[in-house]
């Protein structure tokens, strides 16, 4: 049982929905990321998703792309992301944390080396956007060896037989992509998300979290009627970035983030 | 390679997973997997369909203007003083480069799928122009993604695309060149996957693209083989082609792969010199990794981030290369070498002055290496150089380097 299994299991027993947040590691800085992760947990986040910056983030919309660029400009590498996690874990051994990124930095480090180092740092799972189940065996095996979960995406274009194949390899939860598009897109259709989550539930007993396009308490609540949890990324990064761009201090940016998360949390509960 | 190579070795790749040895595959976000499967199934059904082949052949002859000539560059050969150099004149195709061989093929696939919109990435603008051209002919909506830096370098082609009715989208993320244009095209495709066909311009990307682009470009090598046999009575001794993503090179090489006597040279962009690190030569100086849907050789740093590339030619300014080239390098069938910016520029001027043929800066890399290679061979031997495109689009770049303003 991973921290993810434990936490999502407890929430299900309590009849509560999971709030999952995504931020890019090292954006706007290393210390700020660690500080923000703790603040998010205090504001009611259940699972932390930490983006591993990549030079070519193909699935991201403009808000998260720029986050990757800022983190890379800060010299953030996959090893430094693991350092950030290790620092966070000194004060928080309970909150589940997964890394979300792209294949190449992980492949370059080596799947076995990554699994060992990530597990040591306190990472619970990995989601690689550009490794579909057909290509995932080598990495999934290594993650299993160290007791980490592999998170897979299911998209609106995924037919039922693929959902079944994905469910066989997936663990932790299934990440349901709400729409055809990149992260932060603005054309969320609640009804079609409900249908898709229903199709996933037919094939898998794993919890289903929905991401892409969830920006406030209202959209989170609407989605949560069909799913076990929601993922908020672009909206969170946007509020932090805008506060800083308007001359705000880091504590101000952090409280803007906390305010958004508290709104979404109360929308969910 | 001493023993006769079993031709089947080269026909067995890619396998059902789209792999060329350990390279290739389908490394894309889940949203695109069904679209790729649909394309794959359609292509496997149509590729041996006589009616589809007839349509394609008709487009290639009547619209593209094929076959392209195999031209003996006599003055160049005499001046170099070695092997006889033949140029495969892809520069004479409609739109001025080999790129159109592939866009007519993929546009036919788009038509069969009932797609109303096509998108493309472009570096030098040749693939964008070829896509905009075929879109105009078929009445399809067309958007071309192009790095902001390339929009500046290739203003003429940008205007050509606009004249053809396409929308050119300048890409401002990352290094603002071809790789970022491809990222942006992928993002558009994810968003509009239902009604949009992504016409990838090179033998990279997720399966089945490296396969179908290769198949559409193989017309180059099939023609060259027959033309060479007819003109010289024997096979060439060497083939030379430039390699960015590698579509013109694979098109020339593939029909000769089982001919062990034919040596092959893929010429990467050496930029300021491979030793300087400022180049676009992943097969010479890169290592395997995953980018844009496939596993292949990449230019990357010690943290697995994709490095910025440099080349005088926008069309070669790409940090990856088609997975089949990665495999051909590893099995030793093709030699991958490099020509630097200044060598390519010198070859551009040389071919223009000696033969009255102005090559694209991309193709100039192949001409540069071929001259070096020919000098060490005998007049009884022959080299075929793929003259993949014409140089009109590069006149501004060349003039700028010569300090001339219009």
């Amino acid at each position: 049982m991973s921290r993810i299994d434990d936490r999502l299991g407890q929430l299900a027993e309590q009849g509560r929905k999971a709030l999952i947040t995504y931020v890019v590691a090292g954006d706007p800085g290393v210390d700020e990321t660690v500080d923000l992760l703790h603040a998010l947990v205090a504001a009611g986040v259940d699972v932390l998703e930490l983006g591993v910056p990549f030079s070519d983030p193909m699935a991201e919309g403009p808000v998260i792309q720029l986050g990757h660029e800022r983190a890379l400009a800060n010299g953030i590498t996959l090893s430094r992301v693991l350092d950030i996690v290790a620092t966070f874990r000194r004060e928080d051994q309970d909150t589940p944390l997964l890394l979300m990124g792209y294949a190449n930095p992980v492949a370059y480090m080596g799947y076995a080396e990554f699994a060992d180092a990530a597990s040591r740092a306190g990472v619970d799972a990995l989601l690689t956007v550009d490794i579909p189940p057909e290509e995932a065996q080598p990495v999934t095996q290594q993650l299993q060896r160290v007791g980490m979960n592999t998170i897979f995406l299911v998209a609106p274009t995924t037919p039922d037989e693929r959902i079944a194949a994905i469910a066989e390899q997936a663990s932790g939860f299934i990440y349901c992509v709400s729409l055809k598009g990149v992260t932060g897109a603005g054309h969320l259709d609640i009804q079609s998300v409900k249908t898709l989550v229903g199709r996933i539930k037919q094939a898998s007993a794993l919890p289903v979290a929905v991401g892409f396009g969830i920006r406030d308490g209202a959209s989170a609540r609407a989605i949560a009627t069909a799913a076990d949890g929601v993922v908020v990324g672009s909206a969170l990064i946007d509020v932090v970035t805008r506060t800083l761009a308007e001359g705000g201090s880091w504590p101000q940016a952090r409280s803007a983030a906390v305010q958004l998360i508290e709104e979404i949390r109360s929308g969910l509960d | 390679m001493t023993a006769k190579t079993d031709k089947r070795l080269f026909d067995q790749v890619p396998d059902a997973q789209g792999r060329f040895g350990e390279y290739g595959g389908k490394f894309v976000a889940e949203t695109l997997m069904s679209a790729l499967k649909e394309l794959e199934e359609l292509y496997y059904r149509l590729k041996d369909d006589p009616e589809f082949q007839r349509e394609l052949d008709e487009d290639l002859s009547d619209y593209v203007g094929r076959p392209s000539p195999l031209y003996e560059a006599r003055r160049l050969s005499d001046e170099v003083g070695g092997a006889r150099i033949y140029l495969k004149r892809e520069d004479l195709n409609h739109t001025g480069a080999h790129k159109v061989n592939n866009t007519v093929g993929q546009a036919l696939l788009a038509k069969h799928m009932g797609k109303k919109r096509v998108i493309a990435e472009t570096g030098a603008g040749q693939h964008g122009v070829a896509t905009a051209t075929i879109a105009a002919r078929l009445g399809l909506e067309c958007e071309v993604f192009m790095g902001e830096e390339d929009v500046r370098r290739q203003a003429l082609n940008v205007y050509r695309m606009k004249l053809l009715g396409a929308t050119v989208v300048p890409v401002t993320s990352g290094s603002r060149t071809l790789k970022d244009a491809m990222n942006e095209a992928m993002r558009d495709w994810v968003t509009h996957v239902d009604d949009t066909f992504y016409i990838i311009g090179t033998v990279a990307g997720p399966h089945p693209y490296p396969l179908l682009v290769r198949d559409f470009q193989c017309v180059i090598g099939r023609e060259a083989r027959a033309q060479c046999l007819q003109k010289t009575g024997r096979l060439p001794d060497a083939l030379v082609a430039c390699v960015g993503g590698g579509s013109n090179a694979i098109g020339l090489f593939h029909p000769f792969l089982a001919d062990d006597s034919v040596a092959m040279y893929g010429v990467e962009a050496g930029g300021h010199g491979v030793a300087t690190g400022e180049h676009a030569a992943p097969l010479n100086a890169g290592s395997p990794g995953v980018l844009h849907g496939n596993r292949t050789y990449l230019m990357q740093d010690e943290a697995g981030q994709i490095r910025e590339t440099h080349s005088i030619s926008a069309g070669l300014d790409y940090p990856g290369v088609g997975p089949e080239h990665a495999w051909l390098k590893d099995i030793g069938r093709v030699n991958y070498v490099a020509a630097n910016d200044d060598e390519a520029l010198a070859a551009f001027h040389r071919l223009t002055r000696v033969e009255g043929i102005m090559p694209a800066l991309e193709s100039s890399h192949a001409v540069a290496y071929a001259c070096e290679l020919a000098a060490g061979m005998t007049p009884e031997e022959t080299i075929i150089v793929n003259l993949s495109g014409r140089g009109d689009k590069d006149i501004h770049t060349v003039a700028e380097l010569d300090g001339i303003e219009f």
Side-chain angles (χ1 to χ4, degrees):
Chain A
M1 290 288 274
S2 72
R3 284 190 193 93
I4 293 177
D5 299 326
D6 288 342
R7 178 63 60 96
L8 295 180
Q10 289 158 11
L11 287 168
E13 278 171 28
Q14 298 161 5
R16 296 180 72 216
K17 303 295 180 177
L19 174 54
I20 304 173
T21 53
Y22 170 97
V23 294
V24 181
D27 169 38
V30 169
D31 295 344
E32 287 85 351
T33 298
V34 175
D35 186 38
L36 183 58
L37 293 177
H38 289 304
L40 292 170
V41 173
V45 168
D46 301 301
V47 178
L48 293 164
E49 200 181 333
L50 195 54
V52 179
F54 183 47
S55 51
D56 296 82
M58 278 162 287
E60 314 299 345
V63 169
I64 295 181
Q65 278 175 46
L66 290 172
H68 282 241
E69 287 186 19
R70 285 188 298 267
L72 289 174
N74 289 336
I76 302 301
T77 59
L78 180 53
S79 309
R80 292 198 64 194
V81 174
L82 298 179
D83 292 342
I84 290 173
V85 176
T87 307
F88 170 78
R89 280 279 176 246
R90 277 187 222 145
E91 289 174 39
D92 186 333
Q93 285 89 49
D94 302 325
T95 309
L97 185 150
L98 66 115
L99 297 186
M100 176 171 181
Y102 293 81
N104 202 54
V106 183
Y108 195 85
M109 180 180 277
Y111 296 141
E113 291 80 353
F114 169 79
D116 288 331
S119 154
R120 253 196 326 269
V123 176
D124 302 299
L126 175 69
L127 192 177
T128 31
V129 178
D130 53 351
I131 306 188
E134 286 84 343
E135 307 284 359
Q137 207 66 46
V139 64
T140 307
Q141 273 170 3
Q142 292 300 328
L143 296 179
Q144 271 170 354
R145 179 176 59 80
V146 298
M148 279 171 65
N149 294 135
T150 315
I151 312 296
F152 286 95
L153 301 171
V154 168
T157 51
T158 310
D160 289 342
E161 63 272 19
R162 269 190 74 78
I163 294 180
I166 290 167
E168 265 177 41
Q169 286 198 52
S171 57
F173 65 91
I174 288 180
Y175 189 130
C176 168
V177 178
S178 65
L179 46 78
K180 293 168 199 154
V182 292
T183 51
H187 50 279
L188 196 58
D189 171 5
I190 307 286
Q191 203 44 54
S192 58
V193 172
K194 286 187 175 170
T195 311
L196 178 55
V197 173
R199 291 205 286 126
I200 298 170
K201 293 273 181 191
Q202 290 285 315
S204 171
L206 285 174
V208 177
V210 177
F212 285 39
I214 295 160
R215 54 192 65 244
D216 51 25
S219 50
R221 183 168 51 241
I223 291 293
T225 57
D228 303 300
V230 298
V231 187
V232 181
S234 296
L236 174 59
I237 292 171
D238 193 39
V239 77
V240 169
T241 309
R242 262 190 299 119
T243 308
L244 293 173
E246 286 159 8
S249 63
W250 172 249
Q252 284 169 327
R254 184 188 51 208
S255 33
V258 165
Q259 202 183 332
L260 173 72
I261 292 311
E262 284 173 347
E263 185 213 328
I264 292 174
R265 180 80 260 176
S266 66
L268 286 177
D269 290 340
Chain B
M1 292 215 167
T2 45
K4 176 77 184 147
T5 306
D6 188 342
K7 188 178 181 311
R8 282 172 305 183
L9 174 66
F10 302 106
D11 291 336
Q12 278 163 0
V13 293
D15 66 13
Q17 277 73 49
R19 295 213 177 82
F20 303 85
E22 59 178 295
Y23 303 104
K26 265 187 206 172
F27 292 88
V28 295
E30 176 60 28
T31 311
L32 295 177
M33 289 301 286
S34 292
L36 289 172
K37 185 156 183 250
E38 192 191 349
L39 176 60
E40 187 184 334
E41 285 170 358
L42 176 86
Y43 182 64
Y44 279 112
R45 198 169 73 237
L46 288 181
K47 76 193 201 75
D48 301 315
D49 177 67
E51 178 54 23
F52 180 78
Q53 283 305 328
R54 192 197 56 76
E55 271 185 285
L56 181 60
D57 290 345
E58 191 178 298
D59 279 358
L60 289 175
S61 68
D62 299 353
Y63 192 67
V64 175
R66 303 204 69 91
S68 69
L70 184 68
Y71 167 78
E72 183 181 3
R74 294 201 176 89
R75 287 192 69 211
L76 181 69
S77 304
D78 290 346
E79 199 182 277
V80 169
R84 307 305 294 175
I85 299 171
Y86 286 77
L87 305 176
K88 180 61 175 162
R89 299 291 308 275
E90 294 299 300
D91 59 317
L92 294 177
N93 292 340
H94 183 40
T95 71
H98 73 289
K99 292 289 186 188
V100 72
N101 301 328
N102 166 49
T103 52
V104 297
Q106 288 196 47
L108 269 185
L109 295 176
K111 205 178 89 178
H112 276 268
M113 292 172 104
K115 304 282 187 188
K116 301 279 181 261
R117 179 174 180 267
V118 293
I119 56 169
E121 83 295 339
T122 198
Q126 290 304 110
H127 174 59
V129 166
T131 304
T133 298
I134 199 73
R137 175 168 169 251
L138 296 177
L140 300 169
E141 189 191 332
C142 177
E143 261 183 69
V144 178
F145 297 89
M146 189 169 188
E148 199 179 45
E149 170 68 13
D150 293 335
V151 169
R152 189 191 62 76
R153 285 195 280 192
Q154 302 289 340
L156 187 67
N157 270 343
V158 171
Y159 186 55
R160 282 171 81 190
M161 287 184 268
K162 288 180 181 168
L163 288 174
L164 288 159
T167 305
V168 178
V169 183
V171 176
T172 56
S173 56
S175 61
R176 305 173 183 210
T177 58
L178 181 53
K179 82 173 174 72
D180 309 283
M182 203 152 176
N183 292 338
E184 209 54 41
M186 290 272 188
R187 289 177 188 127
D188 183 284
W189 196 28
V190 163
T191 308
H192 304 284
V193 63
D194 291 332
D195 69 343
T196 296
F197 190 104
Y198 181 14
I199 299 188
I200 293 184
T202 191
V203 283
H207 180 65
Y209 282 100
L211 165 69
L212 61 92
V213 178
R214 175 191 82 191
D215 288 356
F216 290 139
Q217 292 294 0
C218 274
V219 65
I220 302 172
R222 283 197 305 271
E223 285 177 7
R225 200 169 189 282
Q227 288 165 324
C228 186
L229 286 170
Q230 195 234 330
K231 279 177 193 291
T232 70
R234 50 192 285 276
L235 288 173
D237 297 286
L239 305 175
V240 182
C242 66
V243 177
S247 68
N248 91 78
I250 209 80
L252 177 64
F253 296 167
H254 198 267
F256 292 93
L257 284 173
D259 299 312
D260 294 338
S261 66
V262 182
M264 299 182 194
Y265 301 87
V267 187
E268 292 194 304
H272 293 141
V274 171
T276 67
E278 293 172 17
H279 56 81
L283 290 169
N284 278 271
S287 55
V290 177
L291 180 69
H292 291 152
N294 65 103
R295 187 166 190 280
T296 187
Y297 277 84
L298 299 174
M299 289 185 50
Q300 54 188 332
D301 67 16
E302 63 290 342
Q305 303 294 346
I306 307 307
R307 282 180 42 202
E308 292 196 7
T309 52
H310 166 79
S311 170
I312 192 176
S313 71
L316 301 182
D317 212 347
Y318 181 68
V321 63
E324 190 161 11
H325 287 293
W327 178 69
L328 290 169
K329 171 193 160 74
D330 281 9
I331 65 168
R333 178 63 186 96
V334 179
N335 306 290
Y336 292 93
V337 296
N340 297 350
D341 284 351
D342 52 0
E343 292 165 336
L345 190 62
F348 171 92
H349 284 297
R350 187 179 200 179
L351 193 68
T352 303
R353 294 292 285 271
V354 176
E355 294 287 348
I357 295 172
M358 193 177 288
L361 282 173
E362 290 77 14
S363 324
S364 300
H365 288 73
V367 175
Y369 187 78
C371 291
E372 196 184 315
L373 182 68
M377 295 166 68
T378 68
E380 288 71 43
E381 293 176 297
T382 57
I383 298 176
I384 295 178
V385 181
N386 199 0
L387 202 71
S388 54
R390 65 178 176 229
D392 309 45
K393 69 181 174 63
D394 294 313
I395 289 175
H396 268 96
T397 306
V398 173
E400 219 171 87
L401 289 166
D402 289 342
I404 293 163
E405 276 183 46
F406 293 107

